[in-house]
Amino acid sequence: MAAKRSGARSKRSPRIGEQQQPVQEPRNEPPLSRERIVATAVELLDAQGLDGLTMRRLADRLGSGVMSLYWHVDNKEDVFDLALDSVLEYRGPPQPIESQAWREKVFHMLEDWRASMLRHPWSASLLPRRALGPNILSRLELLSKILSSAGVADAGLNVAIWSLWNYVMGATITRASFDVSDDDRNAAQQRLTRLSERYPTIERSRLLLDNDWDGAFREGLGLLLDGLSPR
Amino acid sequence: MAAKRSGARSKRSPRIGEQQQPVQEPRNEPPLSRERIVATAVELLDAQGLDGLTMRRLADRLGSGVMSLYWHVDNKEDVFDLALDSVLEYRGPPQPIESQAWREKVFHMLEDWRASMLRHPWSASLLPRRALGPNILSRLELLSKILSSAGVADAGLNVAIWSLWNYVMGATITRASFDVSDDDRNAAQQRLTRLSERYPTIERSRLLLDNDWDGAFREGLGLLLDGLSPR
DNA sequence: ACCTGAACACCGTTCAAGT
DNA sequence: ACCTGAACACCGTTCAAGT
């Protein structure tokens, strides 16, 4: 899937074939570009997680030298910002929702937001540390418009938006962080049952085992929207 | 404030004084211990942020060799886990709240939670990536108990707890990430006004400038508790 | 305009060794 | 039981240079 550098490969297999065919770059790569860098960064993040993204590895995948990246991109932080925002584009509901049904519109956008982030779990732990890119701002703008035209007064608009944002971010980040490797999950599970007598109520309600995340997300969001609805 | 290694200092100043007094370790440090390591890690994180914590720098502050840390601690991840949980201890309200006032109890614990994290902003961006330590679990246990004894049915308990957790985490993480250096803030502000015509509703409601974070937090939390109250 | 390799100043951690 | 320095395999980024 990823382009391999021929140099690395030939070093790995010390075959005795007398002339190492130079194996001109396996595919002639398209030229480097911001878009290609970001797309590849997302691939790499999906495959290796947050710590897996390295300027050197990124360049490797792109079949270029490390320093070539710096022509198109400021630095590693920049790559993170771009990758994050690129993953959060919103295309709207499949077919338009009738205009009065503001509740459904909000639900669709926020569920899509959560789903996008869960498709790229690194994005959840990245968001808290990064700037708001254009795609994030667009979603906030849309949310503002929906709520505003649904009759939420200007005075309550910010509280409403931030409450929804907080809820979605918290839910998504939590969900993503529970979605770890099996090793970690086993370790956590072990520690919990070992300590179960210290946390009896949690234990009884199976708080940490209950994994109907999607259902809980929708229910909680419903409650919140009830509270926020213009009276 | 931090202990300086005498070796480093003497190398830095090639004074001609014939005998470099060995300057026995500036203070005779207390012996290394898990507790001292964690406390110093928190200091370092407070001072330098998430990227500022380095095993080497940590050892430096402790006046020990880097590898000495590894006797007391598994690895860097371990240090992060311990530092995070150490900052989230809950001591309860200053004077006991009368037992029926469950709403106040919830408010106090959650506001304290948020405040603790904001006192150490790195904790907010760390939480989503780390395991739940004992102090976090204790808070969840307490929350469960309060809600349960307030009459929330077992069936609704998990939704209630996760909704509150989500809200608090989202709010705190968001707040902490907006609380960045002035440089970043200026940059963000610039970009926003430059793009203001693309996000008119946000612009109008001053969503990103409104910084009554504490008030918004309480209001939203109130709405959520209304929705969660046993009927 | 776009790409490059060498070099610098760092990292976390393994290992074999000291007391 | 506790601590150590040397060494390894990495990092991100500066710089001076190539086309």
Side-chain angles (χ1 to χ4, degrees):
Chain A
M1 198 152 282
K4 295 242 169 77
R5 292 235 319 311
S6 54
R9 173 186 285 275
S10 63
K11 195 170 274 171
R12 191 94 60 73
S13 63
R15 269 295 79 312
I16 335 94
E18 52 274 45
Q19 78 264 36
Q20 303 270 35
Q21 60 191 135
V23 192
Q24 75 288 2
E25 289 293 291
R27 316 151 178 228
N28 45 353
E29 309 277 357
L32 228 43
S33 72
R34 221 172 147 83
E35 290 72 37
R36 217 160 76 78
I37 291 176
V38 173
T40 308
V42 170
E43 270 178 46
L44 195 50
L45 285 163
D46 285 345
Q48 318 244 31
L50 222 42
D51 291 336
L53 178 59
T54 274
M55 296 306 269
R56 284 169 149 96
R57 274 207 272 258
L58 185 51
D60 235 48
R61 276 210 180 205
L62 288 159
S64 78
V66 203
M67 293 318 298
S68 312
L69 303 179
Y70 286 80
W71 179 261
H72 304 271
V73 131
D74 286 351
N75 49 35
K76 196 184 177 184
E77 302 241 300
D78 200 15
V79 177
F80 274 132
D81 284 342
L82 293 167
L84 176 61
D85 201 65
S86 87
V87 136
L88 293 178
E89 197 186 344
Y90 183 53
R91 291 189 180 78
Q95 58 255 19
I97 297 173
E98 61 160 314
S99 60
Q100 297 89 336
W102 66 273
R103 232 182 124 97
E104 283 173 47
K105 286 188 200 162
V106 171
F107 251 88
H108 185 272
M109 196 273 272
L110 294 180
E111 286 203 278
D112 175 89
W113 197 339
R114 176 165 173 274
S116 298
M117 294 187 74
L118 291 182
R119 237 176 280 127
H120 309 278
W122 47 271
S123 67
S125 43
L126 206 50
L127 185 60
R129 298 187 286 164
R130 313 272 23 137
L132 304 181
N135 282 329
I136 298 180
L137 288 172
S138 291
R139 285 186 188 250
L140 287 175
E141 173 70 15
L142 178 61
L143 190 56
S144 289
K145 271 212 280 262
I146 299 174
L147 291 178
S148 178
S149 75
V152 176
D154 273 21
L157 203 51
N158 284 354
V159 171
I161 292 172
W162 280 129
S163 294
L164 290 170
W165 162 283
N166 291 341
Y167 181 82
V168 174
M169 289 309 121
T172 306
I173 287 171
T174 300
R175 168 59 216 270
S177 74
F178 268 79
D179 207 16
V180 285
S181 76
D182 286 351
D183 285 359
D184 291 1
R185 166 160 257 123
N186 284 344
Q189 181 54 36
Q190 267 191 5
R191 197 182 32 182
L192 238 199
T193 50
R194 193 158 26 84
L195 298 181
S196 67
E197 62 278 13
R198 286 177 50 191
Y199 310 107
T201 319
I202 287 182
E203 181 67 11
R204 180 160 52 82
S205 70
R206 301 173 51 82
L207 178 65
L208 298 167
L209 302 176
D210 174 16
N211 46 18
D212 179 16
W213 297 99
D214 298 359
F217 175 76
R218 262 192 297 273
E219 264 191 82
L221 184 52
L223 290 177
L224 195 52
L225 282 179
D226 290 344
L228 295 173
S229 290
R231 48 225 77 168
Chain B
M1 197 152 279
K4 294 243 168 78
R5 296 231 319 309
S6 54
R9 173 186 285 276
S10 64
K11 195 170 275 172
R12 191 94 62 73
S13 64
R15 250 12 298 39
I16 335 95
E18 52 273 43
Q19 79 262 36
Q20 304 270 34
Q21 62 191 131
V23 191
Q24 76 284 3
E25 288 294 292
R27 316 148 177 231
N28 45 355
E29 309 277 357
L32 228 42
S33 72
R34 220 171 148 80
E35 291 71 37
R36 217 160 76 79
I37 291 176
V38 173
T40 308
V42 170
E43 270 179 47
L44 195 49
L45 285 163
D46 285 346
Q48 316 244 31
L50 221 43
D51 291 337
L53 178 59
T54 274
M55 295 306 270
R56 285 169 149 95
R57 274 206 274 257
L58 185 52
D60 234 50
R61 275 211 181 207
L62 288 160
S64 78
V66 202
M67 294 316 299
S68 313
L69 303 180
Y70 285 80
W71 178 260
H72 305 271
V73 130
D74 286 350
N75 48 35
K76 197 184 176 185
E77 303 242 298
D78 200 16
V79 177
F80 275 132
D81 284 342
L82 293 168
L84 176 61
D85 202 64
S86 86
V87 136
L88 292 179
E89 196 185 345
Y90 183 52
R91 294 191 179 76
Q95 59 255 18
I97 298 173
E98 61 161 312
S99 60
Q100 297 90 334
W102 66 272
R103 233 182 123 96
E104 282 172 48
K105 286 186 199 162
V106 171
F107 251 87
H108 185 273
M109 196 275 272
L110 294 180
E111 286 202 280
D112 175 271
W113 197 339
R114 177 168 173 272
S116 298
M117 295 186 73
L118 291 182
R119 236 175 282 126
H120 308 278
W122 47 271
S123 68
S125 43
L126 206 50
L127 185 60
R129 300 187 285 163
R130 313 271 24 136
L132 304 181
N135 283 329
I136 298 180
L137 288 172
S138 292
R139 284 186 190 251
L140 287 174
E141 173 70 14
L142 177 60
L143 189 57
S144 289
K145 271 213 279 263
I146 298 174
L147 290 178
S148 178
S149 75
V152 175
D154 272 21
L157 203 53
N158 282 355
V159 170
I161 292 172
W162 280 129
S163 293
L164 290 169
W165 161 283
N166 291 340
Y167 181 81
V168 174
M169 287 310 121
T172 307
I173 288 171
T174 300
R175 169 58 215 270
S177 74
F178 269 79
D179 207 18
V180 285
S181 76
D182 287 350
D183 285 0
D184 290 1
R185 167 161 257 123
N186 284 343
Q189 181 56 34
Q190 266 191 4
R191 198 182 30 185
L192 238 200
T193 51
R194 194 158 25 84
L195 298 181
S196 66
E197 61 279 13
R198 287 177 50 189
Y199 310 106
T201 319
I202 287 181
E203 181 66 13
R204 180 161 52 83
S205 69
R206 300 173 52 83
L207 178 65
L208 298 168
L209 302 177
D210 175 17
N211 46 19
D212 179 17
W213 297 98
D214 297 359
F217 176 75
R218 261 192 298 274
E219 263 192 82
L221 185 53
L223 290 177
L224 195 53
L225 281 179
D226 291 344
L228 296 173
S229 291
R231 51 225 79 171

